[in-house]
Amino acid sequence: MQNVATNSQVNMESELLQLGLKQVNLGTSTGMEFFASGGELSSYSPVDGSLIGVVKMTTAEDYERVIEQAQKAFKYWRQVPAPKRGEIVRQFGEKLRQHKQSLGKLVSYEMGKSLQEGLGEVQEMIDICDFAVGLSRQLYGLTMHSERPGHRMYEQWHPLGLVGIISAFNFPVAVWSWNSALAWICGDVCIWKGSEKTPLCAVACQNIWNEVAKENNLPEGISSVITGGADIGEMMVTDTRVPLISATGSTRMGRIVGAKVAERFGKSLLELGGNNAIIVTENADLKMTIIGAVFGACGTAGQRCTTTRRLIIHESIFDEVKSKISAAYGQLKIGNPLNENNHVGPLIDKDAVRLYLNSIEEAKMQGGKIVVEGGVLQGEGYESGCYVKPCVIEVKDSSLPIVQHETFAPILYIMKYSDLDEAISMQNGVVQGLSSSIMTTNMRQAEKFLSCEGSDCGIANVNIGTSGAEIGGAFGGEKETGGGRESGSDAWRNYMRRQTNTINYSTSLPLAQGIKFDL
């Protein structure tokens, strides 16, 4: 691996100005303006350790104001025709196009992912807005034939109301947009608690929304931002006035959120952990395989829920793949993510570095053999202490506790298999069920992997890696990944309530199932 840092100072001032982030009292907003009266939350960049900005945290009183405004806004917004709501979302997408460079740089600088990935995340926001605009004219229900003469049956979908969104640091803007763009066209209003590790990204997105709201004379409360830690998130999770909570984060967090929302009979959409594998068959195109595996394992410094964490390789090509993976890792450039020559940026903070180091030691103690050495980078350009080397570890047993565990860092475990049934069993033999992939040029192997006896994940790919999902398909996973679905396909139904309607246009009142009730 080439440890490439940059000596140049990161100049974010113009981007912050573009996004309206030079004030320090930002934090809570129901639209148009920001307000907050809580303590301060400082955002430090993992790129160089610099303080980017300070926001005020939401208090219980601030939260009540947000809920009150959101309830008022919902009464207005739900009566706006869906295509008109789509037009507002279209304008929001256009604003994102205008601010793509600045917002993408902020994502990269505050979170630490490469600039290409930061810009790609904003492009995801633009794409979901485009998707939502078309969807605003396609919120279809069904019509059904009634068993009773002179009757018509159909179903329709109504907005839920207030949608609470809890997002994680690794995708500080895109996941919010997956939820908000669809919820808005469905007639809902959104309250967003972004990660306390990336608060400025949330404030920037709200600023962009505020531009659209002001230009269209929209009321406050259609989009709101709250800022703080787990306590402010719990206010929303336990609030019966918020019928849907969409939460992205760890499985541990999901257990808490899911239980609390279920206790009040609310709805939850959970996107939780992943422990994703690529099966490399003896029929794989190895050039494609190496590119997919290395990006999947090292992209975003291993901090994606779809990161490739396990490489399950056929025994006949194991040594060759291991050699090629090692060579590819040797070409990785690690450093300032705003330098587009670098492939890998920093971890989010020093806690993440500690977990990374602990996981490597655990793997060694459990019999893992280091193939590509890890470690923390030091020296000029690495002063933040958050830069680490992507690591590859060979294991003989896929059931090792450390392999079963999701470590949010660039650690890739490689292992052998002898036949496809064994490989699928290894792939499925974890508690998470998000993304999976098989590399093969054999149609039968590919089809078996995609069949009901194949991958048990919500996402199953052939000849591409585990990360990089498109917005057109529903995104989410099974088992301890939570079962939620966001983004494309029919994920919009999560944000609406179904109603079955029966209309009697006859002059009599026949009952269903032939029941007689004469007076």
Side-chain angles (χ1 to χ4, degrees):
M1 278 166 283
Q2 303 175 47
N3 307 330
V4 180
T6 176
N7 293 323
S8 62
Q9 287 292 321
V10 178
N11 182 1
M12 288 293 298
E13 186 172 353
S14 61
E15 278 73 22
L16 294 174
L17 283 170
Q18 284 285 326
L19 298 169
L21 294 176
K22 294 307 290 182
Q23 300 173 359
V24 296
N25 62 341
L26 305 176
T28 303
S29 174
T30 58
M32 311 307 175
E33 63 178 20
F34 282 80
F35 60 90
S37 53
E40 291 185 342
L41 179 63
S42 298
S43 176
Y44 291 92
S45 172
V47 174
D48 56 16
S50 297
L51 175 66
I52 312 174
V54 179
V55 300
K56 289 284 190 177
M57 291 190 285
T58 303
T59 64
E61 292 75 18
D62 297 329
Y63 176 79
E64 284 301 318
R65 179 175 169 182
V66 168
I67 292 293
E68 181 181 346
Q69 287 299 127
Q71 288 177 314
K72 291 178 181 177
F74 174 58
K75 291 179 180 179
Y76 163 83
W77 189 239
R78 67 184 177 185
Q79 296 186 60
V80 175
K84 298 292 186 183
R85 299 193 293 255
E87 166 58 19
I88 299 298
V89 173
R90 186 196 67 77
Q91 292 180 37
F92 182 64
E94 288 301 309
K95 291 288 185 184
L96 289 172
R97 285 178 169 89
Q98 296 171 24
H99 292 289
K100 180 178 177 179
Q101 194 69 22
S102 295
L103 185 55
K105 282 188 177 181
L106 175 63
V107 169
S108 179
Y109 190 54
E110 188 173 34
M111 185 268 150
K113 63 176 60 177
S114 73
L115 180 57
Q116 287 189 61
E117 291 181 83
L119 294 171
E121 188 169 341
V122 181
Q123 186 60 49
E124 259 189 84
M125 301 176 76
I126 294 167
D127 292 344
I128 197 65
C129 285
D130 289 349
F131 180 88
V133 173
L135 188 63
S136 68
R137 294 180 182 270
Q138 301 178 72
L139 302 177
Y140 301 136
L142 300 174
T143 60
M144 290 78 73
H145 288 281
S146 173
E147 67 183 65
R148 290 169 285 184
H151 285 60
R152 180 168 69 88
M153 293 179 64
Y154 70 97
E155 68 178 23
Q156 58 181 331
W157 295 81
H158 296 302
L160 280 175
L162 281 59
V163 172
I165 302 167
I166 300 172
S167 62
F169 73 86
N170 59 331
F171 280 87
V173 296
V175 171
W176 166 71
S177 70
W178 287 1
N179 287 274
S180 59
L182 298 192
W184 285 333
I185 65 103
C186 290
D188 300 317
V189 300
C190 299
I191 304 169
W192 178 22
K193 183 205 169 294
S195 170
E196 57 268 37
K197 297 182 180 182
T198 53
L200 294 177
C201 284
V203 172
C205 290
Q206 182 69 10
N207 279 338
I208 296 171
W209 166 263
N210 288 350
E211 291 181 26
V212 176
K214 184 176 181 180
E215 290 168 5
N216 289 274
N217 295 314
L218 296 177
E220 292 188 55
I222 296 173
S223 176
S224 303
V225 165
I226 55 178
T227 304
D231 55 339
I232 191 66
E234 186 174 8
M235 289 182 199
M236 192 162 62
V237 166
T238 57
D239 194 337
T240 58
R241 296 168 294 182
V242 185
L244 172 66
I245 297 291
S246 176
T248 302
S250 68
T251 297
R252 181 190 62 81
M253 180 273 283
R255 291 188 195 281
I256 297 170
V257 170
K260 288 183 178 294
V261 174
E263 186 177 0
R264 62 177 176 86
F265 296 103
K267 295 183 178 183
S268 59
L269 195 169
L270 301 177
E271 294 288 356
L272 309 175
N275 193 348
N276 315 293
I278 298 177
I279 296 174
V280 185
T281 74
E282 68 276 24
N283 300 301
D285 180 322
L286 292 190
K287 182 178 180 180
M288 292 171 57
T289 297
I290 300 305
I291 293 172
V294 174
F295 175 74
C298 301
T300 324
Q303 298 172 113
R304 293 183 177 216
C305 53
T306 54
T307 289
T308 303
R309 309 205 180 278
R310 297 175 294 144
L311 208 58
I312 303 169
I313 308 165
H314 192 269
E315 59 189 7
S316 67
I317 58 170
F318 182 82
D319 289 338
E320 181 181 3
V321 173
K322 180 168 74 170
S323 176
K324 288 181 181 294
I325 285 285
S326 299
Y329 269 56
Q331 298 177 49
L332 290 173
K333 298 176 182 179
I334 309 167
N336 188 326
L338 293 181
N339 180 344
E340 295 192 63
N341 292 319
N342 292 327
H343 301 108
V344 182
L347 292 175
I348 185 66
D349 55 27
K350 290 182 180 178
D351 283 340
V353 173
R354 177 179 52 81
L355 291 172
Y356 157 84
L357 292 173
N358 289 346
S359 295
I360 292 175
E361 290 306 310
E362 284 290 326
K364 290 178 181 178
M365 287 190 290
Q366 293 174 28
K369 178 183 177 182
I370 300 296
V371 176
V372 176
E373 192 75 42
V376 181
L377 295 170
Q378 298 176 338
E380 186 177 356
Y382 304 122
E383 291 86 356
S384 70
C386 296
Y387 290 89
V388 302
K389 294 186 285 186
C391 177
V392 180
I393 303 175
E394 181 181 346
V395 296
K396 295 188 181 300
D397 185 356
S398 64
S399 66
L400 291 176
I402 192 63
V403 179
Q404 297 284 308
H405 175 71
E406 179 194 30
T407 302
F408 234 50
I411 301 174
L412 176 66
Y413 301 103
I414 62 173
M415 57 204 78
K416 296 179 184 177
Y417 78 93
S418 56
D419 64 69
L420 187 57
D421 286 337
E422 179 191 9
I424 291 173
S425 178
M426 293 165 69
Q427 138 70 37
N428 293 343
V430 294
V431 295
Q432 307 88 351
L434 180 52
S435 187
S436 58
S437 180
I438 188 170
M439 293 293 185
T440 182
T441 56
N442 183 297
M443 182 187 72
R444 289 178 176 174
Q445 290 178 328
E447 290 295 334
K448 182 168 186 176
F449 179 74
L450 299 178
S451 74
C452 61
E453 56 182 327
S455 170
D456 64 359
C457 294
I459 299 169
N461 299 324
V462 176
N463 291 329
I464 61 172
T466 59
S467 61
E470 298 181 32
I471 60 93
F475 180 90
E478 301 302 322
K479 301 189 291 189
E480 289 192 4
T481 301
R485 292 297 185 275
E486 293 173 316
S487 190
S489 186
D490 63 351
W492 62 270
R493 295 186 179 193
N494 288 305
Y495 309 95
M496 304 194 83
R497 58 183 177 87
R498 188 198 310 250
Q499 185 180 79
T500 300
N501 306 117
T502 304
I503 299 172
N504 178 3
Y505 58 89
S506 73
T507 58
S508 61
L509 187 62
L511 301 178
Q513 295 87 46
I515 295 173
K516 302 294 182 182
F517 187 76
D518 297 323
L519 294 177

